[in-house]
Amino acid sequence: MKRLLVSFLTLCLLAACSSISPAPTPTVVFDTDLDHLQPDLPIFREPLIESQRSILTAMDDATVYRIEFAIDEDLIHVEGKEIVFYTNREDESLSNIQFRLFPNILGGTMEVRDLLVDGKPVTPSYGLENSLMTVPLESPLAVGQSIRLEMEFSLEVPTDVELNYGVLASYEGVLTLAHAYPVIPVYNDEGWNAELPPQAGDLTFNDAAFYLVTVTAPKDLMIVASGLESAPVTTGRQQVLNVAIGPARDFFLAASDDYEVVSQQVGEVTINSYAPKSLQEQNQAALTAAARAMKTFSEQYTPYPYTEFDIVVTPTLALGIEYPGATAIAERILLGEYGEQTSAYLESTTVHEVAHQWFYNLVGNDQLDEPWLDESLAQYVTWQYYELNFGAGAADGFEQSLLGRWARVENAPIPIGQPVAAYEGREYGAIVYGRGAFFFEALKNKMGAPAFDAFLRDYAVTFAWENASTEELKLLAEKHCNCDLTPLFEEWVY
Ligand SMILES: [Zn+2]
């Protein structure tokens, strides 16, 4: 295998990158022995802020994905290669490894070929409408034992935004590659967590992993991705760039030839916001909100872990969608679909998505079975953001929007802790995004503000890069208030 050297050169020094300026252009060169990719490689240091870098040794057996995407000029076809270094970190041996092929249920297609396990050809089997690929192992993978999986894949991206908010789409000149590579789901007491996701809600439940990604694309595209991107190298009509990120729950990429970027520095973090050239005033507003949220949540809970955060405006049908180190924001908000409410929607959506960097990416949860853990909490801390930054009046304004959501089901006391699939029609949005925030308010009133704040900070730190469950959240809260929260959970959650 080829040897590549890992080196990051950050060309943009902190002082030079403040306010409206081009995105920083670090040079990412992979120079790593592809037989021994692991999280404690130097290449994974630069995307993390200094205080977080010790996590690289602590997580040295986490999964590493080495991915190559070659994006066609049509922005629809993508050829991929993937090498996965996987160590069994479960408490039992594994007879197979599963991968999700999400494009097959997102209106596109993904075909995997030339699958190798430790260099030997293997024939996988498929299920869940071809969105699940099971890779049999010659002999069970013992706890602590590692394997290397290798494959090539072809991806055809849907040209509409019909399914799952258009997370994976080539639409109106914007390519969004979400869940666009074969990814290993969480394995826990349920075994491999793989199911067909409903149309509402998020798709994934992944462990935090490490990503080294090379992207080849038409040269006129501006590429926005989870992690730290290198400056593109252009040859003829193509550009090549490298991206590194980890720990992270997923890898996301968006591209357009019409993006303009504005950037702002918050401590060690560079925040970039990418929007169409005609929407730069709104783009600046999104950047300002994200910077304020980044500062607020870093102080309240624990620092944002990465040196970069990207906002990217896309044609998604959701208001916004969270990814590690990045978020998509719906173009229709910037275009003024909400009239006088445009700036309020833009700010609250941006802040909500920034909050997911703590509750979804840093602290993971089963987004299909326990969506309240990240969604209701993101709504609650957005409410807190208004209170902390602008005082009671602004917080009341956001509270009204939460009440408005809950009122869509006549304020029915439907439990907030159900799987996405258990909610019908408007219930998911009304309960998980409306009522759910009021549960945290009730919890704060029950525990007392100091104990509640300490609990939420502890939750972010204790479960950092792990997965939390409803019961674990409850136990931790009970530890902080030294009280029995079962009646409160029965009233709101179960
Ligand atoms: Zn959300």
Side-chain angles (χ1 to χ4, degrees):
M1 274 287 128
K2 248 186 297 189
R3 295 207 149 241
L4 323 146
L5 181 56
V6 182
S7 96
F8 266 86
L9 265 176
T10 307
L11 299 179
C12 175
L13 298 174
L14 301 192
C17 305
S18 62
S19 200
I20 305 171
S21 64
T25 50
T27 307
V28 185
V29 182
F30 295 154
D31 192 359
T32 307
D33 183 345
L34 282 180
D35 287 325
H36 300 97
L37 278 183
Q38 52 201 40
D40 56 4
L41 289 170
I43 198 162
F44 290 118
R45 291 176 60 79
E46 200 80 6
L48 288 168
I49 62 165
E50 216 168 314
S51 64
Q52 298 295 308
R53 290 177 186 166
S54 57
I55 197 70
L56 298 177
T57 350
M59 289 183 71
D60 66 354
D61 56 356
T63 302
V64 180
Y65 293 90
R66 174 76 180 91
I67 304 169
E68 290 176 50
F69 288 114
I71 299 169
D72 192 271
E73 301 237 345
D74 64 10
L75 298 194
I76 295 169
H77 294 90
V78 180
E79 288 300 313
K81 283 185 187 173
E82 178 169 308
I83 303 173
V84 185
F85 295 83
Y86 179 86
T87 299
N88 181 358
R89 296 187 298 154
E90 310 309 330
D91 46 22
E92 55 192 356
S93 61
L94 300 169
S95 59
N96 60 56
I97 307 290
Q98 296 197 336
F99 286 84
R100 297 311 302 272
L101 311 179
F102 284 112
N104 290 330
I105 48 169
L106 291 173
T109 57
M110 175 178 268
E111 268 175 51
V112 173
R113 57 182 184 273
D114 301 333
L115 177 66
L116 303 173
V117 176
D118 284 335
K120 289 185 197 161
V122 169
T123 306
S125 60
Y126 296 90
L128 300 180
E129 300 175 8
N130 286 330
S131 75
L132 175 68
M133 177 175 80
T134 301
V135 180
L137 301 178
E138 207 172 64
S139 55
L141 187 68
V143 176
Q145 204 183 335
S146 305
I147 49 166
R148 169 187 159 129
L149 302 111
E150 242 178 294
M151 65 199 81
E152 299 197 4
F153 60 90
S154 296
L155 171 65
E156 189 174 333
V157 178
T159 53
D160 57 52
V161 288
E162 303 284 304
L163 295 176
N164 296 84
Y165 315 106
V167 288
L168 176 72
S170 177
Y171 190 71
E172 295 178 345
V174 179
L175 174 67
T176 50
L177 290 183
H179 325 304
Y181 60 97
V183 64
I184 301 175
V186 162
Y187 186 96
N188 59 14
D189 53 0
E190 296 175 23
W192 293 109
N193 274 252
E195 58 185 285
L196 284 175
Q199 282 298 306
D202 296 305
L203 297 159
T204 60
F205 182 26
N206 300 336
D207 285 320
F210 289 79
Y211 294 85
L212 290 175
V213 181
T214 299
V215 182
T216 307
K219 73 171 167 49
D220 294 335
L221 291 177
M222 194 176 265
I223 310 277
V224 186
S226 290
L228 206 53
E229 304 100 349
S230 69
V233 174
T234 305
T235 322
R237 294 166 67 173
Q238 286 195 320
Q239 60 174 325
V240 180
L241 58 86
N242 296 315
V243 193
I245 190 172
R249 309 260 165 199
D250 206 343
F251 178 81
F252 171 73
L253 180 158
S256 164
D257 62 6
D258 189 37
Y259 283 148
E260 207 162 277
V261 61
V262 290
S263 304
Q264 186 172 334
Q265 195 72 29
V266 176
E268 287 174 79
V269 187
T270 304
I271 306 177
N272 306 307
S273 191
Y274 298 80
K277 294 188 176 84
S278 58
L279 296 170
Q280 288 308 302
E281 197 182 319
Q282 299 88 329
N283 195 26
Q284 181 62 46
L287 176 70
T288 304
R292 198 182 286 126
M294 190 63 73
K295 188 168 182 295
T296 305
F297 300 145
S298 288
E299 286 169 3
Q300 279 286 304
Y301 310 118
T302 188
Y304 173 75
Y306 308 130
T307 49
E308 188 176 304
F309 179 72
D310 294 330
I311 299 161
V312 59
V313 173
T314 76
T316 176
L317 293 187
L319 291 170
I321 306 174
E322 69 276 21
Y323 300 101
T327 187
I329 298 286
E331 184 176 17
R332 61 199 167 84
I333 303 179
L334 285 76
L335 286 170
E337 190 180 302
Y338 296 95
E340 285 181 356
Q341 297 291 309
T342 294
S343 63
Y345 264 88
L346 186 56
E347 177 155 18
S348 61
T349 302
T350 305
V351 174
H352 172 103
E353 303 308 336
V354 171
H356 276 306
Q357 296 302 314
W358 283 262
F359 308 114
Y360 148 71
N361 188 43
L362 184 65
V363 177
N365 62 287
D366 188 331
Q367 295 193 103
L368 286 85
D369 286 350
E370 297 182 318
W372 80 282
L373 286 173
D374 63 303
E375 296 301 348
S376 301
L377 196 44
Q379 287 292 70
Y380 176 74
V381 304
T382 300
W383 190 4
Q384 265 195 333
Y385 157 95
Y386 282 104
E387 170 94 47
L388 290 164
N389 287 290
F390 307 108
D396 283 351
F398 188 69
E399 183 179 355
Q400 289 308 314
S401 80
L402 295 169
L403 281 170
R405 280 183 176 268
W406 191 8
R408 291 176 199 168
V409 294
E410 282 77 43
N411 296 72
I414 299 166
I416 64 168
Q418 302 188 87
V420 179
Y423 295 103
E424 283 176 22
R426 308 183 122 194
E427 287 176 1
Y428 177 63
I431 298 303
V432 173
Y433 292 75
R435 186 177 190 234
F438 293 101
F439 163 73
F440 283 100
E441 182 70 0
L443 183 62
K444 183 179 178 177
N445 291 336
K446 167 82 183 161
M447 296 175 72
F452 176 82
D453 289 344
F455 145 70
L456 217 45
R457 201 171 304 126
D458 196 3
Y459 180 71
V461 172
T462 302
F463 293 102
W465 308 122
E466 303 286 337
N467 299 311
S469 66
T470 297
E471 281 319 293
E472 285 165 322
L473 179 142
K474 177 172 177 275
L475 281 173
L476 190 65
E478 286 177 328
K479 195 178 120 188
H480 279 271
C481 67
N482 199 17
C483 64
D484 177 13
L485 293 171
T486 303
L488 193 73
F489 274 67
E490 270 165 2
E491 189 187 337
W492 290 86
V493 182
Y494 304 140

